[in-house]
Amino acid sequence: MAYQLYRNTTLGNSLQESLDELIQTQQITPQLALQVLLQFDKAINTALANRVRNRVNFKGSLNTYRFCDNVWTFVLNDVEFREVTDLVKVDKMKIVACDGKNTGSNPAE
Amino acid sequence: MPSFPPQPKLYFSIIDDVIESIRELFLDEGVPEGVLDDLRQLWESKVLQSRAVEGFAKDNLNPSNFVLQLPANYPQTLHKPTASVVIPAGRHAQSFTAKASNTGTIATFSLPPGVTYPVQIPAGVTLQTASGHLYKVNVPVMVTQAPECQRIPPQTNQSLIEQRNRPPTVIHKIPAQVTAPGPQILPVPQASKPVLPPQDQTQNRLTQQPKIPVEQSTQALVPVTPDTSTLHQPSQSALESSIEFTLDGIEFSPQPLDMSVSSPFSMQQQPRGLQGELPHMQMLEFGASVQDMVERAVKIGEESGALSNTADTMSLLPDLDRMPDSAGKLEGLLMDYNFNELDDIVQLDGTGDSSSEVGDEEREQQRREEEEEDQGAVGENEFLGMINAEALKALQGAGESSSSCPSSDGDEPDLEEVEEEDPLNSGDDVSEQDIPEIFDTENVIVCQYDKIHRSKNRWKFYLKDGVMCYSGKDYVFSKAVGEAEW
């Protein structure tokens, strides 16, 4: 069972909205929608692990940190993200991170 | 850089994987395959509309966003067009898409070989974008090629494109009759003109469009693309210009009138001889600004000088929830205090509870009786609306016995003491409400951590497999290393 972490992304949210619409029109059942989301979790975990190959560095100031249920939540301010030559500056950024060493047993969010 | 922002291929590949993996699931559940296609289309359209994926138009060598796929038995006949559409296509659109490479919001057509302009698209034809998205035409459409003189000047075009900032396959220029498969689109009558001519004179042309078609096409466009603000602004200005109302003799463009709100007024006020003006005044509150209404209320109050008029002007206030009740209550209060002119408009907010209207009515009746007996007991809890200075003084004078009155002399020393104490202790508490706000942000990274290290107040983050959403755009990374000082 893969992390459900990525449901709170654009891709995940749009999938959930689409499933909600189909449930509203009674084209699918909520149980089926749940199955779809589980498949989505697997697919996105696999895709990110296998199809993405890039590295990013960032630097900023840490506003808050939280560690609960093996999930880190950080809020950073004035962060600079660098990838090779590109630079992205962000005033405020929240990071939600699940344990990367134990991906299978603890679904989060 | 492949991940800033991520190529659409990654997202669409994930969508493909998910769809394929759930195909058997749907079959097992007995769900028709059309539902699966609907899910896919919905998902893809939402992803594209969310602005998370950019640069799609850049990768698209074909300048046209749409390839017109006509049915096999489509005859290229030139019937009298029921609706005419002028859409720039082909080379003319090159400048559009080139400038819209980051936004790519202009929809263009390329015709299949053997088909020339003008093209009549009958109802039921499906338009397919280069990316494979399908859009169904609900009503017959005639597609003609834009003449040279109607090309948009680059500056105007660029400003419009910059304002839009949308993924390319979202339809902007398609006439109002075209619908996306997912969103619900209002059907537009065939006789209506679309609002989408070429844009060199767009701003002027749109305002000159007939009012009703502008309204309809505006309504039809809104569900398709949420970010059509630039197109709608001239439409809306046309709408606004069509809404005309004057204080005297009042005419206004038809707007939905909530008769349930206005009828009590008309019932109450008509006997007082304001039949001609009252309904219009009531309707004004739907369209006019608060300031305008207050100014007009002052004028009305000064001109008429009658109690009924002041009650009338009070009805103009945008307090729709309270209107039916407050007008009646107000009458009673005003009659009691017997003032004739509005010298100073003082707005007094209700100090007490304003829970249910039914309870308020009953309480008001009781209060009137009490007032008649006590000659001046104040019912502030249910009083909403305007009251002049004289009534205010009378209220304050009569309100000494009322415990709810905050301005009574007896309570002032106590209030002062409380106020002095609060500032001393107010800063000590950490509000629980602040904590969730700290974590509320639109910029989020969801990822996994390999290692989180801290040394005193220096933190180091070793993250992987993350998706970052920043300003609505998505970025992905396989590894991220960061440091921060707390």
Side-chain angles (χ1 to χ4, degrees), chain A residues 3 7-8 10-11 24 27 33 42 47 50 53 66 71 75 90 93-94 96 103 105 109:
Chain A
Y3 279 131
R7 293 187 189 183
N8 190 24
T10 306
L11 205 55
Q24 296 263 339
Q27 291 178 281
K42 288 183 194 171
N50 299 332
R53 288 280 180 263
R66 177 193 287 169
V71 178
V75 176
V90 182
M93 176 65 72
K94 179 164 90 168
V96 180
T103 61
S105 58
E109 294 208 355

CSV table of all heavy atoms in Angstrom, one decimal, chain A residues 3 7-8 10-11 24 27 33 42 47 50 53 66 71 75 90 93-94 96 103 105 109:
chain,number,residue,atom,x,y,z
A,3,TYR,N,2.0,5.3,-0.3
A,3,TYR,CA,1.6,6.6,0.5
A,3,TYR,C,0.4,7.3,-0.2
A,3,TYR,O,0.4,7.4,-1.5
A,3,TYR,CB,2.8,7.5,0.6
A,3,TYR,CG,3.7,7.2,1.7
A,3,TYR,CD1,5.1,7.1,1.5
A,3,TYR,CD2,3.3,6.9,3.0
A,3,TYR,CE1,6.0,6.8,2.5
A,3,TYR,CE2,4.1,6.6,4.0
A,3,TYR,CZ,5.5,6.6,3.8
A,3,TYR,OH,6.4,6.3,4.8
A,7,ARG,N,-2.1,12.5,-2.9
A,7,ARG,CA,-3.5,12.9,-3.3
A,7,ARG,C,-3.7,14.4,-3.1
A,7,ARG,O,-4.6,14.9,-3.8
A,7,ARG,CB,-4.5,12.1,-2.4
A,7,ARG,CG,-4.5,10.7,-2.6
A,7,ARG,CD,-5.6,10.0,-1.8
A,7,ARG,NE,-5.5,8.5,-1.9
A,7,ARG,CZ,-6.3,7.7,-1.4
A,7,ARG,NH1,-7.4,8.1,-0.7
A,7,ARG,NH2,-6.1,6.4,-1.5
A,8,ASN,N,-2.9,15.0,-2.3
A,8,ASN,CA,-3.0,16.5,-2.1
A,8,ASN,C,-2.1,17.2,-3.1
A,8,ASN,O,-1.4,18.1,-2.7
A,8,ASN,CB,-2.7,16.9,-0.7
A,8,ASN,CG,-3.0,18.3,-0.4
A,8,ASN,OD1,-3.9,18.9,-1.1
A,8,ASN,ND2,-2.4,18.9,0.6
A,10,THR,N,-2.0,18.6,-7.4
A,10,THR,CA,-2.9,19.0,-8.5
A,10,THR,C,-3.5,17.8,-9.1
A,10,THR,O,-4.7,17.7,-9.4
A,10,THR,CB,-2.2,19.8,-9.5
A,10,THR,OG1,-1.6,20.9,-8.9
A,10,THR,CG2,-3.2,20.3,-10.6
A,11,LEU,N,-2.7,16.8,-9.4
A,11,LEU,CA,-3.1,15.6,-10.1
A,11,LEU,C,-4.1,14.8,-9.2
A,11,LEU,O,-5.2,14.4,-9.6
A,11,LEU,CB,-1.9,14.7,-10.4
A,11,LEU,CG,-2.0,13.7,-11.5
A,11,LEU,CD1,-2.4,14.4,-12.8
A,11,LEU,CD2,-0.7,13.0,-11.7
A,24,GLN,N,-21.5,11.8,-7.8
A,24,GLN,CA,-22.8,12.6,-7.7
A,24,GLN,C,-23.8,12.2,-8.7
A,24,GLN,O,-25.0,12.2,-8.5
A,24,GLN,CB,-22.4,14.1,-8.0
A,24,GLN,CG,-21.5,14.7,-6.9
A,24,GLN,CD,-22.3,15.5,-5.9
A,24,GLN,OE1,-23.4,15.9,-6.1
A,24,GLN,NE2,-21.7,15.7,-4.7
A,27,GLN,N,-22.6,7.4,-11.3
A,27,GLN,CA,-22.0,6.6,-12.4
A,27,GLN,C,-21.1,5.5,-11.8
A,27,GLN,O,-20.8,4.5,-12.3
A,27,GLN,CB,-21.3,7.4,-13.4
A,27,GLN,CG,-22.3,8.2,-14.2
A,27,GLN,CD,-21.5,9.1,-15.2
A,27,GLN,OE1,-21.0,10.2,-14.9
A,27,GLN,NE2,-21.5,8.7,-16.5
A,33,ALA,N,-14.6,4.4,-6.3
A,33,ALA,CA,-13.7,5.6,-6.3
A,33,ALA,C,-12.5,5.5,-5.4
A,33,ALA,O,-11.4,5.9,-5.7
A,33,ALA,CB,-14.5,6.8,-5.9
A,42,LYS,N,-0.5,4.2,-6.1
A,42,LYS,CA,0.6,3.3,-6.6
A,42,LYS,C,1.2,3.9,-7.8
A,42,LYS,O,2.5,3.9,-8.0
A,42,LYS,CB,0.0,1.9,-7.0
A,42,LYS,CG,-0.4,1.0,-5.8
A,42,LYS,CD,-0.9,-0.3,-6.3
A,42,LYS,CE,-1.6,-1.1,-5.2
A,42,LYS,NZ,-2.3,-2.3,-5.7
A,47,ALA,N,5.8,6.4,-10.5
A,47,ALA,CA,6.2,7.3,-11.5
A,47,ALA,C,7.3,8.3,-10.9
A,47,ALA,O,8.3,8.6,-11.6
A,47,ALA,CB,5.0,8.2,-12.0
A,50,ASN,N,10.6,6.4,-10.5
A,50,ASN,CA,11.2,5.8,-11.7
A,50,ASN,C,11.4,6.8,-12.8
A,50,ASN,O,12.3,6.7,-13.6
A,50,ASN,CB,10.5,4.6,-12.2
A,50,ASN,CG,10.4,3.5,-11.2
A,50,ASN,OD1,11.3,3.4,-10.3
A,50,ASN,ND2,9.4,2.7,-11.2
A,53,ARG,N,14.1,12.3,-12.7
A,53,ARG,CA,15.5,12.2,-12.3
A,53,ARG,C,16.1,13.6,-12.3
A,53,ARG,O,16.8,14.1,-13.2
A,53,ARG,CB,16.3,11.4,-13.4
A,53,ARG,CG,16.0,9.9,-13.4
A,53,ARG,CD,16.8,9.3,-12.3
A,53,ARG,NE,16.6,7.8,-12.3
A,53,ARG,CZ,15.7,7.2,-11.4
A,53,ARG,NH1,15.0,8.0,-10.6
A,53,ARG,NH2,15.5,5.9,-11.5
A,66,ARG,N,7.3,20.2,12.8
A,66,ARG,CA,6.4,19.3,13.5
A,66,ARG,C,6.8,17.9,13.1
A,66,ARG,O,6.9,17.6,11.9
A,66,ARG,CB,5.0,19.6,13.2
A,66,ARG,CG,4.0,18.7,13.8
A,66,ARG,CD,2.6,18.9,13.2
A,66,ARG,NE,2.0,20.2,13.6
A,66,ARG,CZ,0.9,20.7,13.1
A,66,ARG,NH1,0.3,20.1,12.1
A,66,ARG,NH2,0.4,21.8,13.5
A,71,VAL,N,5.7,11.7,10.4
A,71,VAL,CA,5.5,12.6,9.3
A,71,VAL,C,6.1,14.0,9.8
A,71,VAL,O,5.7,14.5,10.8
A,71,VAL,CB,4.0,12.8,9.0
A,71,VAL,CG1,3.9,13.8,7.9
A,71,VAL,CG2,3.4,11.5,8.5
A,75,VAL,N,7.4,24.5,7.9
A,75,VAL,CA,7.0,25.7,7.3
A,75,VAL,C,8.3,26.6,7.1
A,75,VAL,O,8.9,26.9,8.2
A,75,VAL,CB,5.9,26.5,8.0
A,75,VAL,CG1,5.7,27.8,7.3
A,75,VAL,CG2,4.7,25.7,8.1
A,90,VAL,N,10.5,31.7,-3.0
A,90,VAL,CA,9.1,31.5,-2.4
A,90,VAL,C,9.1,32.2,-1.0
A,90,VAL,O,10.0,32.0,-0.2
A,90,VAL,CB,8.8,30.0,-2.3
A,90,VAL,CG1,7.4,29.8,-1.7
A,90,VAL,CG2,9.0,29.3,-3.6
A,93,MET,N,6.6,28.4,2.3
A,93,MET,CA,6.5,27.0,1.8
A,93,MET,C,6.3,26.0,2.9
A,93,MET,O,7.0,26.1,3.9
A,93,MET,CB,7.7,26.7,1.0
A,93,MET,CG,7.8,25.3,0.4
A,93,MET,SD,6.5,25.0,-0.9
A,93,MET,CE,7.1,26.0,-2.2
A,94,LYS,N,5.3,25.2,2.7
A,94,LYS,CA,5.1,24.1,3.6
A,94,LYS,C,5.6,22.8,3.0
A,94,LYS,O,5.3,22.5,1.9
A,94,LYS,CB,3.6,24.0,3.9
A,94,LYS,CG,3.3,22.9,4.9
A,94,LYS,CD,1.9,23.0,5.5
A,94,LYS,CE,0.9,22.3,4.6
A,94,LYS,NZ,-0.4,22.2,5.3
A,96,VAL,N,5.6,18.7,3.6
A,96,VAL,CA,5.0,17.5,4.3
A,96,VAL,C,5.8,16.3,3.8
A,96,VAL,O,5.8,16.0,2.6
A,96,VAL,CB,3.5,17.4,4.0
A,96,VAL,CG1,3.0,16.2,4.7
A,96,VAL,CG2,2.8,18.6,4.4
A,103,THR,N,8.2,3.0,3.0
A,103,THR,CA,7.1,3.5,2.2
A,103,THR,C,5.9,2.7,2.1
A,103,THR,O,4.8,3.2,1.8
A,103,THR,CB,7.6,3.7,0.7
A,103,THR,OG1,7.9,2.4,0.2
A,103,THR,CG2,8.8,4.6,0.7
A,105,SER,N,4.3,0.6,4.6
A,105,SER,CA,3.4,0.2,5.7
A,105,SER,C,2.6,1.4,6.2
A,105,SER,O,1.6,1.2,6.9
A,105,SER,CB,4.2,-0.4,6.8
A,105,SER,OG,5.2,0.5,7.2
A,109,GLU,N,-1.8,10.9,5.3
A,109,GLU,CA,-2.7,11.9,4.7
A,109,GLU,C,-3.8,11.2,3.8
A,109,GLU,O,-4.0,11.6,2.7
A,109,GLU,CB,-1.9,12.9,3.9
A,109,GLU,CG,-1.0,13.7,4.8
A,109,GLU,CD,-0.8,15.1,4.2
A,109,GLU,OE1,-1.2,15.4,3.1
A,109,GLU,OE2,-0.1,15.9,4.9
